Amino acid sequence: ARDFAVGDCEGPPPRVPLFIRAAELSKLLKEAGAPSNAAFGASAVQHGGDLVQFFISRKWHLDPEESIRKLLLDLKELGRLLILVDGLDEGAEYRGQIETFVETLLRESGGDGVELVGTQTALVVSTRERNFTESLASKPPRLTTFVRAQIQPLDVGGQQKLIASRLRDAGQFEALRQGLDALKAPDVISSPFLLSLLVNVF
């Protein structure tokens, strides 16, 4: 991706996904002594207020050759990262700061959440629906720049595809299918997350 971005390769440059759990970012902020009631910039003052740079630098600070950290920081500067922030609702006392940061990052990059041009920041976040509503209603409101998308419930075909992707054995597949039919909990088995958990513990 770096070679593409600096013009050493032809074709559209890919983006490299960077997965950030809000709970882990919150933990790193706490370990760094960041005040929980500070503005988002103050939490990562050594990194210019950039929580993505802060996360990369802290998570890979023990990288002996600094190769991973340098690569990710280079890709960030080149606008070639796909930033995935999971579980904003799990940001604990830093939730407000993290939400403010990701919205500011998206707004300042010129991204509108629909189409990306050039080096605009590619950013996807996840949170619980009730927490998203809370953030929109906060003063000042947060996460207003993002385009909202909801995970839809699985139909029968989708349920079978998910199970088949995890269980290759036909006997196990059939046993689980019968067990789910007996469960009589459509809200559970139609949820991609909950059904995945059931398959994993089967």
Side-chain angles (χ1 to χ4, degrees):
R2 179 167 54 186
D3 292 340
F4 270 99
V6 298
D8 290 340
C9 296
E10 297 181 356
R15 293 181 186 270
V16 175
L18 174 65
F19 185 75
I20 302 175
R21 290 193 305 110
E24 182 179 10
L25 177 56
S26 177
K27 180 181 178 182
L28 292 173
L29 286 168
K30 191 169 186 176
E31 290 174 350
S36 59
N37 59 349
F40 76 88
S43 295
V45 64
Q46 294 181 341
H47 302 281
D50 189 330
L51 294 186
V52 175
Q53 185 173 343
F54 171 83
F55 177 82
I56 293 171
S57 297
R58 294 285 296 189
K59 184 174 178 64
W60 285 281
H61 73 285
L62 295 178
D63 180 9
E65 299 179 359
E66 298 190 357
S67 55
I68 297 176
R69 179 170 58 176
K70 185 177 186 307
L71 174 61
L72 290 174
L73 290 175
D74 285 349
L75 290 173
K76 176 187 174 299
E77 290 303 312
L78 293 167
R80 302 320 308 167
L81 286 180
L82 168 58
I83 302 169
L84 307 167
V85 185
D86 180 51
L88 289 176
D89 53 294
E90 299 175 4
E93 63 263 42
Y94 297 98
R95 171 186 161 193
Q97 296 177 53
I98 297 171
E99 290 184 349
T100 300
F101 170 75
V102 294
E103 178 155 46
T104 301
L105 177 64
L106 184 64
R107 185 182 296 119
E108 291 182 350
S109 76
D112 60 5
V114 179
E115 295 182 358
L116 293 172
V117 179
T119 59
Q120 286 181 343
T121 297
L123 180 62
V124 177
V125 302
S126 72
T127 189
R128 295 182 183 276
E129 186 172 358
R130 69 171 183 273
N131 295 99
F132 180 72
T133 302
E134 288 175 0
S135 298
L136 291 177
S138 64
K139 298 185 183 300
R142 303 189 300 269
L143 305 182
T144 58
T145 308
F146 287 86
V147 173
R148 183 176 180 177
Q150 288 181 298
I151 297 176
Q152 299 301 306
L154 295 170
D155 57 17
V156 174
Q159 295 166 23
Q160 292 181 349
K161 286 182 180 179
L162 188 152
I163 296 170
S165 69
R166 306 291 181 86
L167 297 178
R168 302 297 183 184
D169 182 88
Q172 287 185 320
F173 177 92
E174 184 60 24
L176 178 59
R177 190 190 65 77
Q178 292 180 7
L180 293 176
D181 289 343
L183 187 62
K184 299 188 183 302
D187 290 343
V188 173
I189 62 177
S190 64
S191 164
F193 174 68
L194 295 179
L195 182 57
S196 295
L197 289 180
L198 287 174
V199 175
N200 288 340
V201 300
F202 177 70

